Amino acid sequence: MASSGSMKKMNVACAVLMMIMMMSNIAPQAHAVACPAVFSYLRPCITYLTGGGAGAVPTNCCTGVRSLNDAAKTTPDRQTACVCLKSLSGSLPAQSVAAAAGIPGKCRVPVPYKIDPRTDCSKVV
């Protein structure tokens, strides 16, 4: 038979576990989208952008844009993706920024903001 000390520890552990389980249902969930994921989705677009947007957008680039758009289901996720893309676009030459801004339309993906270094991501819903 277990000692009363070990039973108390077991009861406390069970209570803590129950609280954690209950809090995980009410606590805000972590964002599904972060900059490393955004960049990973869009990696197939790099050659298109470094070429200044010449030619057709690669199919795997459109797949990445679509996957990113699907992953950004909440306003905070869309705002995070926007901030990541804004940061990225700020480091591109003007011709590549214009090419990046045109990718969603060419891929027929309804991205709710313009990919541009001047975009106000706080207004993205």
Side-chain angles (χ1 to χ4, degrees):
M1 185 170 201
S3 70
S4 67
S6 65
M7 284 301 288
K8 284 182 184 178
K9 288 179 185 177
M10 178 85 82
N11 286 341
V12 170
C14 286
V16 169
L17 182 59
M18 291 286 287
M19 287 177 62
I20 290 170
M21 288 170 42
M22 289 187 315
M23 291 302 291
S24 69
N25 287 330
I26 16 179
Q29 300 299 311
H31 297 295
V33 177
C35 287
V38 169
F39 301 146
S40 179
Y41 283 121
L42 301 180
R43 186 164 295 140
C45 303
I46 291 173
T47 54
Y48 177 75
L49 293 175
T50 56
V57 178
T59 303
N60 56 352
C61 173
C62 288
T63 300
V65 171
R66 188 167 291 106
S67 296
L68 172 59
N69 200 49
D70 290 345
K73 295 183 186 309
T74 66
T75 296
D77 286 342
R78 287 187 289 275
Q79 289 175 340
T80 298
C82 176
V83 168
C84 299
L85 292 171
K86 178 180 178 175
S87 168
L88 180 65
S89 68
S91 65
L92 297 173
Q95 185 178 7
S96 295
V97 172
I103 290 174
K106 290 180 178 181
C107 293
R108 298 182 183 178
V109 178
V111 175
Y113 50 86
K114 185 174 181 182
I115 300 171
D116 187 278
R118 297 172 302 241
T119 298
D120 183 354
C121 297
S122 69
K123 294 182 178 177
V124 173
V125 292

